Amino acid sequence: MSANEHLNISSGRVAEPGLDTTHGAILYLEEITVSFDGFRALNKLSLDISVGELRCIIGPNGAGKTTMMDVITGKTRPTSGTAFFGQTMDLSRMTEYQIAHAGIGRKFQRPTIFEQHTVFENLELAMKTDKRVRPTLFARLSSEQRGKVDEILKLIRLNGSERRPAGLLSHGQKQWLEIGMLLMQEPQLILLDEPVAGMSDAETARTAELLNELRGKHSIMVVEHDMAFVTEIAQQGVVTVLHEGAVLAQGTMAQVQADERVIEVYLGR
Ligand SMILES: Nc1ncnc2c1ncn2[C@@H]1O[C@H](COP(=O)(O)OP(=O)(O)OP(=O)(O)O)[C@@H](O)[C@H]1O
Ligand SMILES: [Mg+2]
């Protein structure tokens, strides 16, 4: 059963002209290999993500999870294989900038927020705007833009903290702000690499809530080692286990947790 059949997600909501998602997939990786001096960090990796899906990726250190995200975002070029965003965009022919502009947003582990600026200003700076029309930070926002910022503030649990300098936020709050900044760009596909690393249990639980609220509204790929967190957000969705640069197993969390090979290389350790 493909992820698509499994989740039965209809497209449309996140689809835009130019991104033909008639087959329901927003990302296709086919037989991607990445060699570093002969070592295969990715070894004929094939994987696809449906529109609106929240896909969890797990697997041991060195499995190739971050390398896969590097390939999707154009940071690393595959040695061989194909990577498509929607039906028409060949990621191997696009620069990192073009890929980001086309709608793939990535959150790195270390926040890249502007510490001197307030929470509100950070979101404002991240807003998808035509810079020729609104060149300065403090130009008035339209009510629609203001509404968008307010919506994101609530979602990332920072309403009430919007005037605080971002540098004063807790580690978890900074991570949420970074997710909020990504969302301001209205990406079609969001990649999160270890979003709860270093968070307190309470922050981790709130991050799971946040991602559950995004479910179905965005296509999201989440890499995490925190299995309690993955269980919270995977629900009945598909979990992919990477090992030695390829997919070892795929299914619901319950299915992969019961898989002997997964226990052997990862969960049982
Ligand atoms: N630029 C590089 N040059 C050489 N080897 C690399 C490079 N980037 C990654 N690797 C190797 O590729 C393998 C996959 O690394 P990657 O960072 O993708 O793993 P990961 O699944 O994200 O692991 P972790 O869970 O520890 O973050 C590792 O063995 C790593 O050492
Ligand atoms: Mg990694």
Side-chain angles (χ1 to χ4, degrees):
M1 182 165 56
S2 77
N4 204 13
E5 286 157 353
H6 183 82
L7 291 165
N8 190 25
I9 287 163
S10 63
S11 62
R13 176 115 200 221
V14 287
E16 276 181 11
L19 187 65
D20 178 4
T21 52
T22 47
H23 295 280
I26 193 157
L27 180 78
Y28 297 90
L29 302 180
E30 207 176 305
E31 305 225 323
I32 296 279
T33 293
V34 171
S35 294
F36 295 116
D37 299 324
F39 170 76
R40 293 182 166 206
L42 294 180
N43 190 5
K44 296 196 171 179
L45 170 70
S46 296
L47 180 149
D48 57 58
I49 305 287
S50 303
V51 173
E53 183 179 357
L54 196 175
R55 172 71 60 91
C56 295
I57 311 282
I58 63 174
N61 298 116
K65 305 179 298 295
T66 299
T67 303
M68 175 180 66
M69 288 192 169
D70 290 344
V71 167
I72 296 167
T73 55
K75 187 170 175 229
T76 297
R77 292 288 164 201
T79 310
S80 61
T82 51
F84 267 78
F85 182 41
Q87 302 292 303
T88 56
M89 285 189 239
D90 181 349
L91 294 172
S92 68
R93 291 171 184 271
M94 295 162 74
T95 64
E96 271 189 273
Y97 174 82
Q98 286 169 331
I99 291 169
H101 197 73
I104 298 182
R106 178 183 196 174
K107 192 187 116 26
F108 288 91
Q109 211 170 310
R110 214 163 59 103
T112 52
I113 55 174
F114 302 101
E115 303 241 332
Q116 316 297 327
H117 284 290
T118 67
V119 167
F120 188 93
E121 286 162 359
N122 269 276
L123 291 175
E124 195 178 10
L125 282 162
M127 192 176 303
K128 187 179 183 181
T129 53
D130 184 339
K131 304 288 184 213
R132 289 164 306 180
V133 176
R134 201 181 64 83
T136 60
L137 175 58
F138 297 105
R140 274 179 71 94
L141 295 183
S142 68
S143 62
E144 190 187 336
Q145 289 171 322
R146 173 76 221 202
K148 175 89 188 161
V149 175
D150 286 341
E151 177 196 321
I152 302 286
L153 277 168
K154 274 200 208 84
L155 181 80
I156 61 174
R157 284 88 173 112
L158 288 174
N159 47 328
S161 299
E162 60 197 72
R163 300 286 157 207
R164 292 193 75 196
L168 297 182
L169 299 176
S170 72
H171 169 75
Q173 289 173 321
K174 285 179 184 172
Q175 302 288 326
W176 296 335
L177 177 56
E178 177 119 352
I179 292 173
M181 290 169 73
L182 258 185
L183 292 170
M184 291 302 298
Q185 296 281 324
E186 299 174 7
Q188 310 225 16
L189 175 64
I190 299 173
L191 310 178
L192 303 174
D193 199 354
E194 303 194 28
V196 302
M199 282 191 184
S200 67
D201 288 352
E203 287 173 337
T204 299
R206 296 200 82 173
T207 306
E209 281 172 25
L210 194 167
L211 285 176
N212 281 327
E213 284 172 38
L214 294 178
R215 178 188 305 284
K217 298 180 193 157
H218 296 268
S219 307
I220 309 174
M221 182 191 272
V222 186
V223 166
E224 249 310 331
H225 286 290
D226 184 325
M227 285 307 121
F229 172 77
V230 172
T231 303
E232 280 296 315
I233 63 168
Q235 301 191 6
Q236 292 311 303
V238 177
V239 176
T240 299
V241 186
L242 290 196
H243 178 54
E244 295 178 344
V247 174
L248 175 71
Q250 192 158 277
T252 62
M253 189 63 182
Q255 285 166 341
V256 301
Q257 274 177 318
D259 188 312
E260 289 297 335
R261 294 164 307 165
V262 178
I263 294 167
E264 164 91 27
V265 305
Y266 186 49
L267 296 177
R269 294 187 313 176

